[in-house]
Amino acid sequence: MSLNEAQKRAVSHGEGPCLVLAGPGSGKTFTIAKRIEYLITEYKVRPEEILVITFTKYAAGEMRERFRRVMGRSGLPVTFGTFHGIYYGILKWAYGLNQTNLLSEEEKYKLLKECVSHLRLEEEPEGEEREFLLGLAEEIGNIKNNCFDIKTYESGRYDTSFLREVCVLYEQEKKSRRKIDFEDMLVLCHDLFVKRPDILKKWQQKFRYILVDEFQDINQIQYNVIRMLAAPENNLFVVGDDDQSVYGFRGAKPGIMQEFRRDYKNAARIFLNINYRSTAYIVKGASRVIAHNKCRYKKDVLTDKPGEFPVHVQEVKDPLEESRYIASKCQEYIKEGIPPEQIAVLYRAGSDARVLAETFTEHQIPYYMKEHVGHIYEQFTCFDMECYFRLALGQFTRSDLLQIANRPKRYIGRDSMEEEKPDYESLRRFYCDKGWMLERINELERDMETVRDKTPYAAIQYIRRCIGYDEFLKEYAAYRRLDSKELFCALDELQERTKECKTLKDWLLHVEKCRRLFKEKSGKKREGQEVAFLTMHGSKGLEYEVVFIIGGNEGSMPYKKAVTEEEIEEERRLFYVAMTRAKRRLIISYVKEQSGKEKTPSRFIEELLVAV
């Protein structure tokens, strides 16, 4: 593979800082590998003085392998690693840390659970606790990645005083156990370099030439440390694309690429503007969309591949019809000879793929999920409906009664259900001296008799409207500081999916079957002959012959929580990343309605169809 003119300028860059803007499919990995080769063979830089940093172990390994192929031999002591891996190595050398000092993700989850429990927050219902704690971990990580001060930080997701208490307790517990988490590796390395200039100098002398891949994904603390490490020679060669900066929730921001130009005013700037991946239709369409962003370097991306198939936008009735459309098109393309592994379905959030995954599972179309997609039958609202249905069918168990006894609030105490198989009579015996409680128990029994002979759809409607489950959800969302719309959306989707079942028993069997199939799917390793299901974030760095983007509606793209101009621009960048995964065919679909509510196409689709 030969280098184009822009790649040649990047590869042969001399000393000092250099910013390489590398668009999608522009051969940046090959360019970085050739740059390392050039440093060694032409500038006579010792391999051990070269540090190459990227964001994942996989990417670091891929870069190492590409360099080995370019050089035609292995064993050269160039250092390849991730930010966390490199910084951990420095801490290991300075403080004698080892694996026992690292807090695993599971340990972090358990420790946060202990901290929350210590603050006497009520126990989360099944299906919700882990999501709550993972969100909390993300918020704490964001504080560290952005170098925020917890004393002045204001959270948009959690009560500020509660978050501060959790953070303080979490840090105390880590310290007492001599543990550090993922973000601590960055913070501690920064503090080490500030406090010990002699140690900083040692590492500066070791790594005189630093190359950073995917620079648009860097956060503030990573950038601060890498600047310290590169000084005073500043042989810092960074490669990235501000249009593909999509990890704002981790602290990454495209503004750091602008900041680089301010920090290094004499930095060279090179643009790799030829897309070797996608056809002209895809490149031009994606360029039309991203051009609406204001905070970016303006670019004119070219391609050497002529237009073959125009970008197709498909309108469908609802998510079920959308899933069937995607499934049929996948089967059609596979019959045409396109390997299943060269087809990908992309979506904004895991919940967008729930109906699709169920349809593919039912039709036995092979698919692979890179990330876990929480299906609708994992939601705690589904567990609640199951409990109500079993009670209606007379299948009394203590666990079912405990689950829904106070959803909505009936003031039925846990101590009233101590029997192995409690029922209405045992509850009445316990509350025999409280007439108002007896009426509540009688009402529950009457409601279950009413539900018994209804269709699953009508039964859920009755539980929500007449029994008061919707009111419980509103109160629950307010107490937990959750978005009630998300809870109701999940319940609406669940109710919609019951329409194909005639009886409560049929639906219970259907749920059991679906859970078993999803479990079998999640437990399997990728076999290689499967359609890929990916979130847009998870698709970054990948490419496929055929790409479907589903759920192209307002509220999904851009995501409903994106409000500010900065947030909308990140959503547009994410859509741009998804579009540029496609090599030959790109199909984008949107629904007209969901759970009986009218939906509108995404503004990004309009931007795609109308030139600026």
Side-chain angles (χ1 to χ4, degrees):
M1 179 178 174
S2 60
L3 296 166
N4 63 39
E5 288 305 311
Q7 290 171 331
K8 286 177 183 176
R9 290 200 305 275
V11 166
S12 61
H13 169 73
E15 296 192 334
C18 179
L19 171 63
V20 178
L21 293 166
S26 61
K28 68 179 179 63
T29 304
F30 177 65
T31 302
I32 293 172
K34 292 294 287 184
R35 164 72 177 166
I36 304 168
E37 178 193 39
Y38 202 90
L39 286 173
I40 295 170
T41 59
E42 299 299 322
Y43 291 146
K44 307 305 177 184
V45 176
R46 291 188 295 128
E48 57 267 32
E49 293 181 324
I50 301 172
L51 171 63
V52 186
I53 304 180
T54 189
F55 283 81
T56 65
K57 288 182 179 179
Y58 175 81
E62 187 180 55
M63 188 70 73
R64 183 185 293 108
E65 176 58 25
R66 179 63 69 91
F67 169 64
R68 186 195 64 76
R69 293 204 302 269
V70 164
M71 288 295 292
R73 60 193 179 103
S74 58
L76 291 174
V78 174
T79 301
F80 295 86
T82 64
F83 277 100
H84 290 88
I86 299 300
Y87 294 178
Y88 170 63
I90 293 170
L91 293 174
K92 188 177 178 182
W93 174 87
Y95 297 126
L97 298 179
N98 57 49
Q99 288 293 321
T100 63
N101 298 116
L102 300 182
L103 197 68
S104 70
E105 286 302 303
E106 192 60 34
E107 288 173 329
K108 183 176 185 177
Y109 165 76
K110 289 179 180 177
L111 182 54
L112 279 173
K113 183 177 180 179
E114 288 176 26
C115 294
V116 170
S117 298
H118 182 75
L119 294 172
R120 293 180 173 83
L121 211 68
E122 279 187 22
E123 187 178 338
E124 297 287 325
E126 188 170 1
E128 284 293 293
E129 179 185 65
R130 192 169 187 87
E131 185 178 343
F132 174 78
L133 293 173
L134 290 175
L136 194 58
E138 183 181 293
E139 187 87 349
I140 294 171
N142 194 43
I143 292 168
K144 293 181 180 180
N145 288 334
N146 283 290
C147 306
F148 294 142
D149 184 350
I150 185 60
K151 295 176 183 176
T152 57
Y153 180 74
E154 295 288 336
S155 174
R157 299 170 64 183
Y158 302 97
D159 178 77
T160 301
S161 59
F162 162 70
L163 181 62
R164 287 174 186 166
E165 286 184 79
V166 171
C167 284
V168 170
L169 188 56
Y170 175 63
E171 294 302 322
Q172 288 174 348
E173 287 299 317
K174 277 193 301 169
K175 191 173 181 179
S176 69
R177 303 177 192 198
R178 287 185 54 78
K179 293 280 189 177
I180 63 171
D181 64 19
F182 209 52
E183 289 77 24
D184 289 332
M185 295 182 200
L186 311 178
V187 176
L188 291 174
C189 195
H190 177 270
D191 293 346
L192 172 67
F193 284 170
V194 169
K195 294 172 184 174
R196 294 288 303 274
D198 55 323
I199 291 178
L200 172 59
K201 186 176 181 180
K202 171 186 170 60
W203 289 98
Q204 288 172 335
Q205 291 171 340
K206 176 173 175 56
F207 297 128
R208 293 183 54 240
Y209 291 82
I210 301 174
L211 297 86
V212 182
D213 187 21
E214 301 286 4
F215 186 66
Q216 76 279 348
D217 293 336
I218 201 167
N219 62 43
Q220 196 64 53
I221 190 72
Q222 289 168 336
Y223 181 56
N224 292 348
V225 176
I226 210 68
R227 284 198 67 207
M228 295 168 75
L229 197 57
E233 296 181 69
N234 294 327
N235 292 320
L236 188 54
F237 184 90
V238 300
V239 182
D241 180 10
D242 54 327
D243 287 336
Q244 297 186 70
S245 178
V246 295
Y247 291 114
F249 60 91
R250 293 182 191 166
K253 49 187 178 182
I256 289 182
M257 296 193 78
Q258 307 281 347
E259 198 175 317
F260 184 87
R261 290 278 288 171
R262 292 192 299 270
D263 292 333
Y264 301 100
K265 292 182 173 58
N266 65 332
R269 186 174 70 175
I270 300 165
F271 178 33
L272 307 186
N273 68 330
I274 300 177
N275 183 322
Y276 294 102
R277 174 189 300 153
S278 308
T279 65
Y281 281 122
I282 296 166
V283 169
K284 289 177 182 177
S287 295
R288 279 199 297 272
V289 173
I290 201 63
H292 286 78
N293 273 7
K294 296 174 183 175
C295 180
R296 65 186 291 263
Y297 288 106
K298 286 185 169 55
K299 311 173 187 74
D300 181 21
V301 181
L302 308 174
T303 179
D304 61 350
K305 293 186 176 182
E308 190 175 0
F309 302 102
V311 177
H312 179 70
V313 177
Q314 180 71 36
E315 178 186 89
V316 291
K317 179 188 174 186
D318 55 24
L320 182 58
E321 185 178 294
E322 181 179 52
S323 71
R324 288 170 176 167
Y325 169 75
I326 302 297
S328 67
K329 294 300 288 184
C330 284
Q331 289 173 323
E332 177 185 321
Y333 291 143
I334 291 168
K335 284 180 182 177
E336 286 179 8
I338 297 174
E341 63 270 21
Q342 280 298 317
I343 302 174
V345 184
L346 311 184
Y347 35 85
R348 175 61 182 85
S351 57
D352 296 331
R354 289 194 296 232
V355 178
L356 186 75
E358 192 169 339
T359 297
F360 270 56
T361 300
E362 288 173 353
H363 290 80
Q364 297 184 330
I365 301 172
Y367 68 95
Y368 164 76
M369 290 183 180
K370 182 180 177 183
E371 308 104 327
H372 173 70
V373 172
H375 55 79
I376 195 66
Y377 305 119
E378 282 182 333
Q379 301 290 307
F380 79 88
T381 49
C382 180
F383 288 109
D384 287 352
M385 293 305 118
E386 284 183 279
C387 292
Y388 268 119
F389 283 16
R390 284 193 289 266
L391 286 180
L393 292 171
Q395 301 169 15
F396 259 88
T397 66
R398 183 172 182 272
S399 60
D400 282 353
L401 197 54
L402 277 169
Q403 180 90 0
I404 56 85
N406 291 297
R407 297 184 177 188
K409 196 73 175 174
R410 298 183 179 92
Y411 300 96
I412 299 176
R414 182 178 287 266
D415 54 351
S416 69
M417 295 175 273
E418 292 301 323
E419 295 186 20
E420 187 176 334
K421 286 190 176 182
D423 56 19
Y424 302 119
E425 283 306 316
S426 67
L427 291 176
R428 280 191 276 262
R429 284 196 300 272
F430 186 87
Y431 290 109
C432 60
D433 58 340
K434 293 182 176 63
W436 61 279
M437 281 301 298
L438 291 175
E439 179 52 38
R440 289 176 186 275
I441 295 163
N442 292 339
E443 185 179 19
L444 174 61
E445 185 175 18
R446 287 194 298 270
D447 282 334
M448 292 300 94
E449 287 173 355
T450 302
V451 166
R452 182 178 303 141
D453 297 321
K454 290 182 178 293
T455 64
Y457 184 90
I460 292 178
Q461 188 76 347
Y462 183 86
I463 292 167
R464 295 179 65 174
R465 302 287 189 266
C466 301
I467 293 180
Y469 189 83
D470 276 5
E471 285 304 309
F472 153 73
L473 271 190
K474 287 179 187 175
E475 292 170 5
Y476 171 79
Y479 180 72
R480 302 292 178 189
R481 289 175 63 91
L482 298 172
D483 185 353
S484 62
K485 290 180 182 177
E486 289 192 4
L487 297 180
F488 281 113
C489 183
L491 186 51
D492 288 343
E493 183 184 332
L494 179 73
Q495 186 174 353
E496 195 70 20
R497 298 295 286 153
T498 64
K499 285 184 175 179
E500 296 180 12
C501 295
K502 300 298 182 185
T503 68
L504 305 189
K505 187 176 180 182
D506 287 343
W507 184 77
L508 289 170
L509 290 171
H510 172 75
V511 171
E512 185 181 341
K513 175 187 173 184
C514 285
R515 282 204 187 116
R516 185 179 68 253
L517 290 171
F518 277 118
K519 187 176 181 180
E520 289 172 1
K521 170 59 65 176
S522 64
K524 284 176 63 178
K525 291 184 178 179
R526 187 172 192 181
E527 296 173 352
Q529 299 289 312
E530 301 152 315
V531 175
F533 282 14
L534 302 160
T535 62
M536 291 178 170
H537 285 101
S539 72
K540 198 161 172 292
L542 303 175
E543 58 182 44
Y544 299 89
E545 288 291 310
V546 178
V547 168
F548 294 92
I549 299 176
I550 66 170
N553 292 88
E554 286 291 308
S556 179
M557 301 171 199
Y559 196 55
K560 55 195 168 188
K561 290 183 179 179
V563 178
T564 66
E565 185 174 346
E566 184 180 353
E567 290 168 337
I568 295 295
E569 290 211 350
E570 174 151 334
E571 291 294 309
R572 189 177 282 109
R573 291 193 295 271
L574 189 56
F575 191 73
Y576 175 76
V577 166
M579 291 181 71
T580 54
R581 301 309 94 198
K583 294 161 74 172
R584 291 179 63 213
R585 292 180 185 265
L586 175 60
I587 301 98
I588 304 169
S589 60
Y590 67 90
V591 300
K592 291 194 293 183
E593 64 176 64
Q594 186 172 3
S595 302
K597 296 171 186 172
E598 188 177 338
K599 303 283 285 185
T600 57
S602 167
R603 69 191 75 177
F604 302 153
I605 291 178
E606 183 180 349
E607 293 167 1
L608 164 66
L609 299 175
V610 181
V612 178

